[in-house]
Amino acid sequence: MGHSLGCVLLTGSTGYIASHTWLALEAAGRQVVGVDSLVNSSAVVLDRLVSLSGGQPKHFIKGDVRDAQVLDACFDLAAKQGRPITAVIHFAALKAVGESVEKPLEYFDNNIGGLISVCRAMERHGARTLVFSSSATVYGQPERLPITEDAALRATNPYGQTKLIGEELLRELERSDPRWRIGWLRYFNPVGAHPSGQIGEDPRGIPNNLMPYVAQVAVGKRTHLNVFGQDYDTPDGTGVRDYIHVCDLAEGHVAALRYLDEQQRSLTVNLGTGQGYSVVDVAQAYERASGKAIPLVYAPRRAGDVAACYADPTLAETLMGWKARRGLDDMCADSWRWQSLNPQGFEG
């Protein structure tokens, strides 16, 4: 079956999750064309991907997905290789919650504009299978835990709104033309890195999530970890989140694509572990993985933070046969390997 399937276009392909997904797709026998503007990622990723796949060349076009010519060039490149693009995994988006509050126009333009541009290109080239990077932020403040896919949807910041509007836009598209096959994947908190330590999360500027902060303390870039809030209604008073290893997440995309191809129907699933870990849990696991102390400094709660948020991932297993296999110790060990081998990230 592998060879009857067309090429996959990965947008945002040199980013954190997409780069791991590129390897997972190739491991599953899929051909890939990548496109990325490189505004939030590094071209070094491509070299690393080539070496991780035994020197296999990577088909990549640098450009912004809002540019129709760039997307047409991607479809043309694949067609010339004799394996037309039949599916797209759409990762390209800005994703910093805080920045989205300061720059809502940029976020809507990039995230919604990019999605519309991608769907138009797909229609031009007759490809109607799309896997969409959504987010647990579409659940807002969860009413009950664990979160199931039928929970109420609401966004509490512009970034979350772009994901919610993106989901809605795709539902309307599918209603208007039933030939579309769409996978809505709601990610929880991706962490960790490829076990080789060659690719991982390389945040530009100030990180937006916990694990890179913890890693930077372990590697000596920061003196301590700020913990926002120690009076939440959780076992140790600190915020609880569902962390998922980026390699499990990457395999979830391959499973979603397989489902869309084989079942010929759309799906909406959470990608998480179903297990919540507190900030203290993560810091302690990182100490075990790195052998370094992670001093904690407690600070007041941040506005808009929820006490706990974790997935019910049952549906993904039922529909796609996928479940997260890597635990918190794996996440921290792989994150530490990446961080210690690349203390300055890809540009180091």
Side-chain angles (χ1 to χ4, degrees):
M1 166 133 193
H3 282 292
S4 64
L5 294 171
C7 184
V8 181
L9 175 63
L10 281 192
T11 72
S13 59
T14 47
Y16 173 42
I17 303 168
S19 57
H20 290 79
T21 302
W22 197 328
L23 293 176
L25 284 164
E26 288 184 340
R30 299 295 299 244
Q31 281 202 336
V32 177
V33 169
V35 61
D36 201 303
S37 66
L38 301 178
V39 293
N40 277 326
S41 61
S42 166
V44 176
V45 172
L46 293 166
D47 302 329
R48 301 279 177 95
L49 290 174
V50 169
S51 68
L52 284 171
S53 59
Q56 241 182 307
K58 300 288 168 262
H59 301 296
F60 174 79
I61 288 179
K62 182 187 172 190
D64 192 306
V65 295
R66 288 170 293 181
D67 183 337
Q69 287 179 313
V70 166
L71 292 175
D72 286 341
C74 294
F75 280 90
D76 293 345
L77 175 66
K80 279 197 195 86
Q81 308 280 338
R83 189 73 68 80
I85 289 166
T86 54
V88 176
I89 303 183
H90 182 51
F91 288 107
L94 298 172
K95 66 174 179 57
V97 169
E99 184 184 54
S100 78
V101 176
E102 293 156 27
K103 303 177 176 174
L105 288 177
E106 206 172 309
Y107 270 67
F108 280 87
D109 183 358
N110 190 83
N111 294 6
I112 307 298
L115 176 60
I116 291 170
S117 173
V118 166
C119 290
R120 286 201 159 130
M122 291 174 71
E123 293 207 308
R124 284 197 298 281
H125 296 274
R128 287 183 180 81
T129 300
L130 176 69
V131 175
F132 178 61
S133 280
S134 191
S135 160
T137 56
V138 300
Y139 295 117
Q141 186 100 20
E143 280 161 12
R144 54 181 189 277
L145 296 169
I147 299 172
T148 50
E149 288 80 359
D150 57 4
L153 303 182
R154 60 174 88 75
T156 53
N157 55 65
Y159 164 71
Q161 285 168 335
T162 65
K163 291 300 182 186
L164 202 48
I165 292 165
E167 282 203 13
E168 202 43 59
L169 189 154
L170 292 172
R171 289 188 205 283
E172 295 297 347
L173 183 58
E174 186 192 34
R175 270 180 215 122
S176 73
D177 181 350
R179 288 177 297 177
W180 280 88
R181 299 284 173 265
I182 299 169
W184 288 269
L185 305 187
R186 294 175 182 157
Y187 310 165
F188 280 70
N189 298 65
V191 296
H194 191 268
S196 65
Q198 292 300 296
I199 56 171
E201 187 171 15
D202 183 16
R204 297 279 165 106
I206 297 169
N208 298 304
N209 34 25
L210 177 66
M211 191 74 87
Y213 272 112
V214 179
Q216 288 178 7
V217 176
V219 88
K221 266 190 165 177
R222 294 174 185 273
T223 56
H224 63 273
L225 178 70
N226 287 319
V227 181
F228 298 99
Q230 56 179 335
D231 56 353
Y232 284 110
D233 184 13
T234 59
D236 60 29
T238 65
V240 165
R241 297 290 179 271
D242 187 335
Y243 297 96
I244 176 171
H245 195 298
V246 66
C247 292
D248 279 328
L249 188 58
E251 287 159 14
H253 289 77
V254 177
L257 207 49
R258 190 179 298 123
Y259 178 93
L260 298 177
D261 284 332
E262 290 175 2
Q263 304 299 321
Q264 286 296 302
R265 51 193 299 197
S266 298
L267 87 164
T268 303
V269 290
N270 290 332
L271 294 184
T273 64
Q275 166 77 51
Y277 291 107
S278 74
V279 177
V280 172
D281 291 333
V282 173
Q284 288 175 345
Y286 217 96
E287 287 184 332
R288 291 195 296 276
S290 64
K292 309 284 185 189
I294 311 285
L296 307 180
V297 173
Y298 289 94
R301 294 182 182 192
R302 283 181 305 204
D305 274 358
V306 300
C309 179
Y310 49 93
D312 181 339
T314 317
L315 190 62
E317 189 175 2
T318 306
L319 292 180
M320 313 190 304
W322 170 92
K323 74 186 286 202
R325 296 180 294 129
R326 298 159 178 91
L328 183 61
D329 287 325
D330 299 315
M331 300 176 204
C332 292
D334 291 338
S335 166
W336 172 243
R337 190 177 303 108
W338 153 253
Q339 188 72 44
S340 51
L341 288 172
N342 305 270
Q344 304 303 322
F346 287 109
E347 305 302 329

